[in-house]
Amino acid sequence: MSADSGIEMVVAIIRPARLENVKRALVEAGAPSLTVTNVSGRGSQPATKSQWRGEEYVVDLHQKVKIECVVADTPAEDVVEAIREAACTGEPGDGKIFVLPVSDACQVRTGKRGPDAV
Ligand SMILES: Nc1ncnc2c1ncn2[C@@H]1O[C@H](COP(=O)(O)OP(=O)(O)OP(=O)(O)O)[C@@H](O)[C@H]1O
C-alpha cells in the first residue's frame, strides 16, 4: 500500500558486512539515494557471551546498519526485494525491513516539494 503523497520510506536494519552489497543492489534497482547509520539492536538473533578482564558478560545488542531510502518513482516493493536479496545470508540476524508512508518532502536547494523533491 503506498502513501497518499506517493512517497514512501524503506527502513532496513541489516548486517554491516552486507552494506556494500545492498548499496550496489539499490543502484541497480534505480534507488541510489540513502542514509546510513550505525545502530545496535535486538531481534531474534541469540545473545552471545563475551569476556572482559576475566568477567563474563552477555552481548544482547548486536551491531547493525540502518538504511533509510525514500522513494517516489521507484516502487517501495522493488526496493524491499533488492535489499532483501542483497542482505540475506540465511542465518539468524540478517535483519528486518519496514516500509513507512512519508507525507511530504522538500529539496533544500530548489524548494521543490512532493515526489519531485525525492
Ligand atoms: N520489531 C523490531 N523493531 C525494531 N527493530 C527490530 C525489530 N526486529 C528486528 N529489529 C532490528 O533488526 C535487527 C536484526 O534483527 P534479527 O535479524 O536479529 O531478528 P529477526 O529479523 O527477528 O529474525 P532472524 O534473526 O531470524 O533473522 C535487530 O538487531 C534490531 O536492530
Side-chain angles (χ1 to χ4, degrees), residues 8-27 31-40 64-71 79-80 82-84 86-88 94-100:
E8 290 178 285
M9 175 154 64
V10 179
V11 179
I13 301 154
I14 61 158
R15 296 179 191 277
R18 285 277 153 163
L19 178 59
E20 288 307 314
N21 227 17
V22 169
K23 278 164 59 186
R24 212 174 306 124
L26 286 172
V27 170
S33 303
L34 77 167
T35 300
V36 176
T37 316
N38 288 313
V39 296
S40 59
K64 299 289 170 186
V65 163
K66 180 169 78 172
I67 294 170
E68 291 164 311
C69 184
V70 177
V71 288
V79 174
V80 170
I83 294 175
R84 202 196 72 78
C88 185
D94 273 353
K96 229 163 237 189
I97 308 174
F98 303 102
V99 180
L100 290 70

Side-chain angles (χ1 to χ4, degrees), residues 15 43-46 62 64 89-95:
R15 296 179 191 277
S44 63
Q45 184 179 1
H62 302 282
K64 299 289 170 186
T89 69
E91 297 298 320
D94 273 353

